Amino acid sequence: MKRHASLHPLSQHHHFALIQALEMKRAVEAAPEKRVEAIARSAKKFVIFWHAAGSEHFREEEDVLLPAYARHTRLDQDADVMRLLADHAEIRAAVCDFEQRFAAGRAIDVEAVTHLAKLLRDHVRMEENEVFPRIERTLGEEGLNAMGARLTRLHKQREVCDI
C-alpha cells in the first residue's frame, strides 16, 4: 500500500520494529541448546532499539499523529486507536520488565519474548493497515502535510535506529 509521504518516517520505524519482532520470534525458535542465549540477545537488542527509536516513535504517534487525528474525530470512539494506546502501554511494560530482569541477572521468559514479538508484529500491522489509512482519509492532503512537517522535524533531531 502506498503511504502518504507525511507518514513515511513512522512507517520506516515500523519496518525496523518488524525486524525486531522477527528476530525475537527466531530466538524463541532457536535450537534448545542455543535458545536461552538467543532470547537474551534478542531481548537486549530490543531494549537498545527501544531507547534508540521506539520510545521516540511512540511519542511522535501520541503527541503529533493522534492529536492531528483528534481534530477530526473522537479518539475514544475509534477502537483501533484505543488498541494502539493499550499496545503502547503493554510494550513499554515489556521493556521495563526486560530491564528489571537484566538488572537482577534473571533470564528472560520465553513466553514474554513470544508475546512481545507477536504483539509488536500485530501492532505494526494494525497501524499500517487500519489506523494510517483512516488518518490519511480523514486529514486530507493539507492536514497530512502539516502533521508530517512536525514528524520530519522530530526525526531530524535523532537518527533512525539501524540495529
Side-chain angles (χ1 to χ4, degrees):
M1 166 178 283
K2 184 155 172 74
R3 184 71 55 228
H4 190 275
S6 65
L7 293 172
H8 286 177
L10 296 176
S11 290
Q12 185 179 36
H13 276 169
H14 285 162
H15 170 75
F16 291 115
L18 289 173
I19 291 170
Q20 293 296 311
L22 180 61
E23 288 184 7
M24 285 186 278
K25 182 179 183 289
R26 287 179 177 161
V28 168
E29 295 170 348
E33 65 276 7
K34 296 181 180 183
R35 188 171 300 135
V36 171
E37 182 181 329
I39 288 171
R41 189 173 45 253
S42 71
K44 285 179 183 170
K45 195 170 179 181
F46 180 74
V47 169
I48 291 168
F49 168 79
W50 170 258
H51 288 294
S55 63
E56 180 80 3
H57 173 83
F58 279 14
R59 188 182 71 74
E60 291 176 3
E61 287 183 344
E62 294 168 6
D63 293 352
V64 179
L65 178 73
L66 293 180
Y69 185 42
R71 288 185 179 101
H72 303 276
T73 191
R74 290 273 318 196
L75 298 184
D76 61 345
Q77 294 178 5
D78 186 324
D80 290 329
V81 169
M82 292 296 97
R83 178 180 155 203
L84 178 156
L85 293 169
D87 288 354
H88 282 193
E90 190 172 351
I91 292 165
R92 285 182 174 108
V95 170
C96 184
D97 290 346
F98 286 179
E99 289 175 328
Q100 288 175 351
R101 285 185 168 277
F102 292 141
R106 296 190 342 243
I108 303 295
D109 293 331
V110 172
E111 297 81 16
V113 173
T114 301
H115 178 73
L116 179 59
K118 183 179 183 332
L119 173 65
L120 196 57
R121 186 194 71 231
D122 292 350
H123 176 79
V124 167
R125 296 294 185 216
M126 184 263 306
E127 283 187 5
E128 289 289 338
N129 296 331
E130 303 299 329
V131 176
F132 284 9
R134 192 173 310 127
I135 289 174
E136 287 173 325
R137 286 189 304 272
T138 302
L139 266 60
E141 190 70 23
E142 185 178 326
L144 285 166
N145 287 334
M147 185 268 313
R150 292 186 64 206
L151 290 176
T152 300
R153 276 196 315 274
L154 289 172
H155 280 281
K156 286 181 180 176
Q157 291 173 3
R158 306 184 94 209
E159 291 185 18
V160 173
C161 180
D162 63 349
I163 294 175

